[in-house]
Amino acid sequence: MADLDPVELGLKAEAMIRALATISAEEGRITRLYLTPEHRRAADLVAQWMADAGLSVSEDALGTVRGRLDGPGKRLLIGSHIDTVNDAGAYDGTFGVIAGILGAAHFQATGRPLPFGLDVLAFGDEEGSRFPATLLCSSAVAGHFDPETLAVESVDGVRLEDALRAYGKDPGLIGEAAYGPDEALAYVEAHIEQGPVLERADEALGIVTAIAGQSRLIVTVIGEAGHAGTVPMTIRRDALVAAAEMALALEALARDYADDFMVGTVGKITAAPGTANVIPARVSFTADLRSQSDSVRLAALARLRAEVQAIADRRRVTAWMERSHDAPAIPCDVSIQDGLARAVIAQGGQGLRLPSGAGHDGQAVGKLCPIGMLFVRCRGGISHNPAEFCAPEDMGRAVATLIAFVEGLADEG
Ligand code: GLV
Ligand code: MN
Ligand code: MN
C-alpha cells in the first residue's frame, strides 16, 4: 500500500464532511432532502471533487452522481448517499461518498492499473425523508425502480415525477440508470455504524454481516371532531389517543421480538384539525419496523395489523395501514466480508463482524450484485442527530482499509 497516510486521509475526509455540512435548507442545522436546491448544490460539489480526483463524471435520470475510473471488464461500485434526515448529523451517507472519492483518487494518482473499472456513486435518496419511498436512486441503479413510485407525493405536496422534471431530469430515461447484470462486479459501502457496538468493543472498524429487513407504514386513524369543552370523555371518538395506543402497541410488540433485533418506531405523527380546543378527527402516523429476520418482521406486521384493528374497534374509530416501503434483510457477501476483514486486520483491527439495523443503499444494490459494507465507529453510537461524530483518524483508517480491500480484490484478479 504505497503512499497511504490514514491521518492525512482522515483530515481530508473531515474537511470534505465540513464542506458538505454547510449545504442545508436550514441555517444552523443539516437538512438536505432529495431533489431540492440543497441536493443540487451537494451533487455539484461532489461532482467537482470527483472531477478533481480525475474521474469522469455523469449524472443519471434520478440524480445519482457517478464518478468513473476506467478499467477492463466489470465495474466495482463504491457508494453511499448525500441526502439527510431533517436536522441530521454530518456523517451519515456523506462519509461513504467521500471515502469512495478518496479511494478512487488514490488509484488515479498512483496509476496502479486495476483489473476492473471503478464507479463512485453518490445517491440522492436513501433516507426517504421527502417522499414516502426510499432507496430510489440505488433501486434504479440495480434496475429495480418501480415506475408507480413516480406518482408518490412529497411532504411538501410535489409528485416525484414533477420534482424530477423540476430538477432537470427526464423520468423516461430512468431505465438507463441500471447496470447490466454482467456489468457490476460488486458494491461496497463505507458508513458510520450509527450504533454503539464498535465503540464498546474499542474497535474503529467493523464488517457488516447483513442489513436488517425493513417495513415502513403509514397508519391513518379517523375519529370525530368535537368541542374539547363539551363532549363527555365516555362518548369521544378521539383519533389521537387511539393513535397513541397504537404506538404503544407497536413498542410492546417490538420488545416481544427483541431477540431477533426487532425494533419499532413511530417517527412522525400529524393530527387534524390540530387545534387546542378541538378533539382530533384525523391522525396519520408512520411506523417503521425492522428485524434481521424477515419472517419475524412479517409476523410482527400481521400482529400490528390485528392490534391496530382491535384498538380502532374498541375506540370506535376507523383505521387502516398502508405500506410505503418494504425491503428484505440482505446478507453481505461472505467473500467480500473476508476481504474487508483482511484489510481491517492489516490496519491493526480485529476484523469484528456485526449486523446493521440501519437501512442502506446496499439493500437495493444487493438485487444487482454481491454487496459488502465497512462500518466506522461513531461517538456514543449517535446518529440521525446533529451530535453525530466520527473521529478523523477513524475515517482515515476506513479510507485506507477500503483502498486495501480494493487492492486485495485486484490481487485476486
Ligand atoms: C436510513 O438511515 C434508515 O435506516 O432509515
Ligand atoms: Mn445512511
Ligand atoms: Mn440515515
Side-chain angles (χ1 to χ4, degrees):
M1 255 196 298
D3 306 313
L4 262 191
D5 179 355
V7 174
E8 192 188 320
L9 287 169
L11 293 174
K12 278 188 188 163
E14 175 64 16
M16 292 161 89
I17 291 278
R18 289 290 131 232
L20 269 175
T22 62
I23 302 177
S24 171
E26 301 176 282
E27 184 77 31
R29 309 192 337 160
I30 305 173
T31 298
R32 205 166 48 239
L33 306 190
Y34 184 43
L35 302 178
T36 57
E38 299 72 52
H39 177 201
R40 179 70 271 154
R41 282 163 56 211
D44 289 344
L45 180 58
V46 162
Q48 184 60 53
W49 287 336
M50 289 175 174
D52 293 346
L55 310 181
S56 29
V57 186
S58 61
E59 202 176 279
D60 69 27
L62 279 183
T64 299
V65 189
R66 300 156 177 247
R68 178 185 173 99
L69 194 62
D70 279 332
K74 293 191 179 188
R75 313 197 57 74
L76 174 66
L77 318 181
I78 302 180
S80 197
H81 59 99
I82 54 173
D83 66 323
T84 71
V85 294
N86 294 306
D87 197 14
Y91 301 81
D92 176 1
T94 51
F95 172 64
V97 173
I98 289 167
I101 295 172
L102 291 174
H106 169 83
F107 289 106
Q108 173 70 2
T110 56
R112 174 185 169 159
L114 295 172
F116 41 76
L118 206 157
D119 286 351
V120 181
L121 305 174
F123 299 117
D125 167 68
E126 187 269 356
E127 301 287 7
S129 300
R130 184 173 179 210
F131 293 91
T134 181
L135 305 177
L136 293 173
C137 299
S138 41
S139 295
V141 157
H144 281 269
F145 180 83
D146 177 359
E148 283 188 12
T149 316
L150 288 169
V152 301
E153 248 187 41
S154 69
V155 286
D156 44 331
V158 185
R159 288 172 77 241
L160 174 60
E161 180 168 0
D162 298 334
L164 280 168
R165 288 192 198 284
Y167 197 74
K169 298 295 172 190
D170 177 355
L173 299 180
I174 291 172
E176 293 178 16
Y179 284 83
D182 296 326
E183 216 180 338
L185 177 66
Y187 171 79
V188 184
E189 177 168 352
H191 203 285
I192 59 165
E193 182 203 337
Q194 308 182 275
V197 175
L198 291 172
E199 190 177 65
R200 288 189 185 175
D202 199 20
E203 278 287 292
L205 305 175
I207 298 109
V208 178
T209 51
I211 306 173
Q214 182 181 147
S215 297
R216 289 193 198 174
L217 306 121
I218 297 169
V219 185
T220 307
V221 186
I222 306 292
E224 187 176 33
H227 197 297
T230 60
V231 183
M233 297 308 284
T234 47
I235 62 167
R236 290 185 179 206
R237 295 170 56 225
D238 183 328
L240 183 54
V241 287
E245 200 178 331
M246 292 167 191
L248 290 173
L250 171 63
E251 183 195 41
L253 189 147
R255 286 182 181 203
D256 278 357
Y257 291 106
D259 287 352
D260 296 285
F261 295 97
M262 178 100 219
V263 284
T265 306
V266 172
K268 181 177 177 187
I269 185 159
T270 53
T275 309
N277 60 353
V278 181
I279 298 163
R282 182 186 178 98
V283 169
S284 106
F285 66 91
T286 59
D288 178 307
L289 269 175
R290 307 182 189 204
S291 170
Q292 295 293 323
S293 156
D294 288 333
S295 58
V296 164
R297 177 173 49 88
L298 296 176
L301 258 179
R303 246 184 80 186
L304 179 66
R305 195 174 292 282
E307 294 201 22
V308 161
Q309 194 52 55
I311 293 164
D313 290 348
R314 194 159 14 85
R315 289 185 168 271
R316 298 177 300 108
V317 297
T318 310
W320 65 89
M321 300 186 354
E322 292 157 289
R323 260 191 247 194
S324 64
H325 173 64
D326 244 323
I330 290 275
C332 291
D333 180 80
V334 174
S335 73
I336 297 179
Q337 288 186 45
D338 292 346
L340 286 168
R342 283 193 292 275
V344 168
I345 290 164
Q347 290 288 313
Q350 290 177 36
L352 191 149
R353 301 190 194 211
L354 70 169
S356 172
H360 295 289
D361 289 296
Q363 272 171 298
V365 188
K367 293 178 183 157
L368 171 75
C369 62
I371 65 150
M373 288 195 75
L374 178 68
F375 268 178
V376 194
R377 88 180 134 197
C378 57
R379 189 162 61 201
I382 294 169
S383 184
H384 283 185
N385 181 320
E388 194 174 87
F389 177 76
C390 183
E393 53 272 29
D394 287 350
M395 290 194 284
R397 283 189 190 109
V399 176
T401 300
L402 191 62
I403 292 169
F405 164 77
V406 176
E407 289 187 330
L409 202 62
D411 290 343
E412 285 167 23

